Amino acid sequence: MNKNKSLKNKVAIITGSSGLLGQQFCKILLKNGVIVIGIDKVIKNKINHENIFYKKIDITNELVVKKFVSSVVKKFGHIDILVNNAASKSSKTKEFFRDYESYNYSTWKEIMSVNLDAVFLLTKYVGKDMVRKKINGKIIQIASIYGLIGPDQKLYENGKYKGIKMSSPAVYSASKAAVIGLTKYLATYWGSKGIRVNAITPGGIDGGQNSTFRKKYSKRVPLGRMADKNEIEGALLYLVSDDSSYVTGQNIIIDGGFSSW
Ligand SMILES: NC(=O)c1ccc[n+]([C@@H]2O[C@H](COP(=O)([O-])OP(=O)(O)OC[C@H]3O[C@@H](n4cnc5c(N)ncnc54)[C@H](O)[C@@H]3O)[C@@H](O)[C@H]2O)c1
């Protein structure tokens, strides 16, 4: 990917920066001259670079988010880019994968609070500052194919994630579909302010699943494999740069063709 000059010294917040995709997103933006503030509830997998700043925060707490955004604005003057990438598999992963009929409402709310409510909180406070400062901001939300189509339940028989029996729970689909809806809403809401809001929808990324799942899933994909973690960042770079200056309210699907048949 060529360096994008329009991004030099832009200020970006990336949520879920310690995770599989979060790290990739931080790296590609740093490579293009962006000043990155990575936030996560657990800070790990840190990148050694002079332009990255990490902050351990829980993005589901409104007061914490409000204070964090104003501290970034105080330090850097304004925010150009927001990447809402964090998602939760619950503090108890086994609970996240529970059957629908026995799904606990507390788990449902826990997942919604990260996957959807935190997106509201971050866009509210970051967007408010972008509007006030007349910044042509770029907001990118990371959704999922399961926000577009229902999961093929057969893929999950004998599937394991980090050793735990896995499924694709309804709360995940519901939260990601809502993120796509919110993206379209905000694109029209802030369009006249020059703020562009888009989503990226990845398909299954290789990482943590057992070989039974990986094989079954790969058979279901026209390209015959899961995505590599570095195959999503090109879309992010496009959406945050001036190359996409007339693109808003869109959802770039990167799924190897999974949703095409
Ligand atoms: N990995 C995949 O196969 C895949 C497929 C489609 C979509 N996605 C989406 O891509 C995004 C990134 O996925 P990933 O695989 O890198 O996930 P990940 O689990 O590796 O990373 C998510 C990060 O979010 C952080 N987080 C969770 N709750 C938080 C909170 N309350 N406050 C702050 N940080 C919090 C976690 O600590 C974690 O580091 C997610 O939105 C996910 O739904 C992933």
Side-chain angles (χ1 to χ4, degrees):
M1 187 69 54
N2 289 329
K3 282 199 177 175
N4 197 305
K5 288 194 190 87
S6 67
L7 293 172
K8 186 128 181 66
N9 290 330
K10 297 287 183 198
V11 177
I13 292 174
I14 302 184
T15 72
S17 55
S18 301
L20 187 73
L21 286 184
Q23 292 171 63
Q24 298 297 123
F25 293 156
C26 290
K27 281 182 201 159
I28 193 78
L29 294 192
L30 286 169
K31 209 171 153 188
N32 284 274
V34 176
I35 297 163
V36 176
I37 301 109
I39 58 175
D40 204 295
K41 65 172 186 184
V42 184
I43 300 297
K44 56 181 184 184
N45 307 316
K46 280 170 100 170
I47 300 161
N48 188 12
H49 194 287
E50 60 181 358
N51 277 350
I52 188 157
F53 303 86
Y54 290 101
K55 178 87 180 157
K56 183 182 166 198
I57 67 163
D58 178 359
I59 54 172
T60 65
N61 182 320
E62 177 159 19
L63 194 59
V64 167
V65 170
K66 187 180 178 191
K67 281 187 180 162
F68 163 72
V69 172
S70 68
S71 74
V72 174
V73 169
K74 203 166 168 196
K75 182 163 179 180
F76 298 100
H78 66 270
I79 298 154
D80 300 284
I81 297 163
L82 168 64
V83 185
N84 279 311
N85 162 72
S88 173
K89 286 189 186 64
S90 170
S91 47
K92 299 179 202 115
T93 313
K94 223 175 144 181
E95 291 298 310
F96 176 68
F97 292 133
R98 230 180 219 277
D99 288 346
Y100 190 77
E101 294 86 343
S102 64
Y103 215 81
N104 286 311
Y105 186 33
S106 56
T107 313
W108 177 280
K109 285 191 282 193
E110 182 191 357
I111 305 308
M112 277 295 184
S113 72
V114 180
N115 292 16
L116 179 62
D117 301 357
V119 178
F120 158 65
L121 294 177
L122 264 306
T123 49
K124 174 181 167 179
Y125 289 105
V126 172
K128 192 174 176 179
D129 193 71
M130 286 174 171
V131 170
R132 194 187 299 144
K133 307 240 171 74
K134 298 189 165 54
I135 302 294
N136 291 138
K138 288 97 190 167
I139 298 176
I140 318 300
Q141 333 260 42
I142 309 303
S144 162
I145 39 168
Y146 293 147
L148 296 174
I149 56 170
D152 178 347
Q153 305 290 342
K154 294 192 290 294
L155 295 182
Y156 293 87
E157 286 162 13
N158 303 318
K160 286 190 175 167
Y161 175 78
K162 295 185 178 169
I164 299 170
K165 187 180 170 301
M166 74 189 285
S167 71
S168 184
V171 67
Y172 186 69
S173 290
S175 66
K176 293 299 182 178
V179 163
I180 294 167
L182 180 61
T183 301
K184 291 184 184 291
Y185 180 91
L186 292 176
T188 64
Y189 186 74
W190 282 326
S192 63
K193 310 284 182 197
I195 299 170
R196 296 193 289 108
V197 188
N198 290 289
I200 295 175
T201 282
I205 297 155
D206 202 331
Q209 309 90 351
N210 67 351
S211 66
T212 307
F213 177 82
R214 288 205 313 273
K215 273 187 207 147
K216 277 194 196 176
Y217 185 94
S218 299
K219 265 193 182 168
R220 173 74 174 67
V221 182
L223 286 184
R225 61 178 178 84
M226 299 192 78
D228 188 89
K229 62 182 180 182
N230 66 19
E231 292 182 298
I232 316 298
E233 65 213 35
L236 180 79
L237 191 58
Y238 170 68
L239 289 174
V240 300
S241 75
D242 290 345
D243 290 346
S244 61
S245 53
Y246 200 54
V247 179
T248 197
Q250 299 307 303
N251 179 20
I252 299 187
I253 301 167
I254 307 172
D255 69 351
F258 189 96
S259 58
S260 297
W261 49 20

